[in-house]
Amino acid sequence: MKIAVVSGKGGVGKSMIASSFAILFSKRGKKIVACDCDVDAPNMAIWLGIRKSKLIRKVKTSKKSFIKNQKEAKKCNLDPKICKFGAISLENGKYKINRFLCEGCGLCNALCPKGFGLKDVENAEIRIVNTKFGFPLIFAQLYPGETGSGKIVDETVKEAEKFDHEIMIIDSSAGVGCPVNASLKVANYAIIVVEPSLSSYADMKRVLRVIKYFGIEFFVLINKFNLNEKVSKKIENEFKDRIIGKISYSEKLIDCLSKFKTAFCDEKIKKEIEKSFENFLKKLNLK
Ligand code: SF4
């Protein structure tokens, strides 16, 4: 079974819930593998109190253009404007590629194959940690300025699959882009973490469209609910039996995180997460 923890908006507590649920499942004796697919900003490890990790492998899931032969490139006489990403420039009669702007669409290579090449580039690495809670955490880190995050999620899930497990907890990226699609397409269940702000509520609706597209059963957890009880109530009324719990805002959690402690270091938050977890198990008819 794969459970994806998602949110429309970033910073709402998704990684905190994913890591806490992984710990609670593990305490129940379930074989867990945690998979942090938030490749732009993987921080599930921090919520699990981990500082060090080991490289599994580097991945190449994106392509970049390069100047294969300057003379041949000049013969083609391509207008740099053919690149809609502004990655090609012509300076003092020489073509140049800005690798940070190149999206690897391959147009320059198709129009001038002898002058412009296209190659696979290392854009991320997949790492592993054996947590003190008895389960492995697999996560990927996208290199700064790189693309291809959806395919990196595919590779990360593939690595996580290699570990014996009953439940995979996937900490998805926020938003509705490729890495979110890649996390949701393999999930059996989704937990949407939302905070009671209008922006989080609006972004939640967007991610819900993706969840419905994939036909995944979903549940909703309201984090920091006491910051705006009116919006919180609105979410509760709208999603009724989909709601698995409400977690309070806690300044102590910031302190816990900075000391590499889990969310359970705040006793009140611990109880609220445990209650949400129990509700989730009931919804799934799990023990
Ligand atoms: S591969 Fe596409 S994005 Fe990259 S430089 Fe060529 S045309 Fe531009």
Side-chain angles (χ1 to χ4, degrees):
M1 180 201 300
K2 292 184 180 65
I3 301 164
V5 184
V6 300
S7 69
K9 183 179 171 297
V12 298
K14 184 173 47 57
S15 301
M16 176 186 85
I17 298 302
S19 55
S20 301
F21 274 34
I23 294 169
L24 292 171
F25 267 123
S26 184
K27 280 186 179 168
R28 290 274 169 134
K30 298 284 181 200
K31 275 189 185 159
I32 294 297
V33 61
C35 188
D36 191 345
C37 292
D38 189 353
V39 299
D40 283 295
N43 54 24
M44 206 174 170
I46 301 172
W47 279 110
L48 289 166
I50 293 157
R51 293 168 197 258
K52 286 184 181 166
S53 58
K54 215 171 84 188
L55 178 71
I56 297 180
R57 64 183 167 96
K58 296 187 176 183
V59 293
K60 294 179 177 182
T61 68
S62 82
K63 291 182 187 293
K64 298 276 181 195
S65 171
F66 66 99
I67 304 298
K68 201 194 261 180
N69 185 308
Q70 196 63 248
K71 272 188 192 162
E72 294 293 338
K74 272 189 213 163
K75 273 190 212 165
C76 295
N77 198 25
L78 288 188
D79 183 343
K81 286 189 188 137
I82 60 120
C83 177
K84 296 298 173 206
F85 304 98
I88 302 177
S89 60
L90 189 56
E91 293 167 29
N92 301 323
K94 278 191 166 182
Y95 283 102
K96 284 189 177 169
I97 304 287
N98 182 328
R99 71 182 303 279
F100 283 109
L101 296 180
C102 175
E103 290 279 332
C105 71
L107 180 63
C108 54
N109 174 247
L111 294 175
C112 183
K114 287 185 180 170
F116 292 80
L118 198 62
K119 63 180 176 189
D120 292 329
V121 292
E122 265 175 18
N123 54 342
E125 56 190 40
I126 301 177
R127 306 188 70 88
I128 179 172
V129 182
N130 286 310
T131 71
K132 62 183 174 193
F133 306 101
F135 59 84
L137 164 68
I138 314 299
F139 66 98
Q141 282 177 330
L142 181 75
Y143 293 152
E146 294 297 346
T147 54
S149 51
K151 286 179 186 166
I152 296 167
V153 170
D154 291 344
E155 294 299 313
T156 312
V157 172
K158 256 188 234 167
E159 285 298 333
E161 289 282 16
K162 292 177 186 170
F163 292 83
D164 185 22
H165 65 278
E166 295 164 272
I167 299 172
M168 185 187 293
I169 304 284
I170 298 173
D171 184 11
S172 162
S173 294
V176 289
C178 301
V180 180
N181 293 349
S183 297
L184 284 171
K185 76 180 180 190
V186 296
N188 306 98
Y189 298 99
I191 297 173
I192 309 174
V193 181
V194 60
E195 62 182 22
S197 65
L198 292 177
S199 56
S200 179
Y201 175 67
D203 292 344
M204 170 201 193
K205 289 293 186 83
R206 280 152 48 79
V207 78
L208 197 49
R209 284 174 64 186
V210 185
I211 290 170
K212 286 184 175 169
Y213 172 81
F214 285 112
I216 303 163
E217 190 167 358
F218 71 93
F219 301 96
V220 177
L221 194 153
I222 309 172
N223 191 24
K224 309 174 197 171
F225 80 94
N226 49 340
L227 287 182
N228 188 335
E229 305 236 5
K230 198 175 156 197
V231 176
S232 187
K233 204 79 207 152
K234 179 180 159 73
I235 298 169
E236 275 183 76
N237 288 339
E238 186 172 341
F239 292 97
K240 295 183 178 76
D241 55 350
R242 298 270 176 193
I243 303 283
I244 55 168
K246 298 192 296 182
I247 315 283
S248 304
Y249 173 73
S250 157
E251 285 194 357
K252 196 179 168 190
L253 275 185
I254 300 162
D255 189 46
C256 296
L257 193 60
S258 66
K259 290 175 181 155
F260 284 85
K261 290 183 178 173
T262 70
F264 299 141
C265 89
D266 181 324
E267 203 49 43
K268 185 170 182 236
I269 298 296
K270 179 174 182 267
K271 281 186 185 142
E272 289 174 347
I273 293 176
E274 283 172 346
K275 194 175 166 197
S276 306
F277 179 72
E278 292 301 328
N279 286 339
F280 180 61
L281 294 187
K282 268 187 216 150
K283 302 267 184 204
L284 265 57
N285 284 325
L286 283 175
K287 285 188 179 169

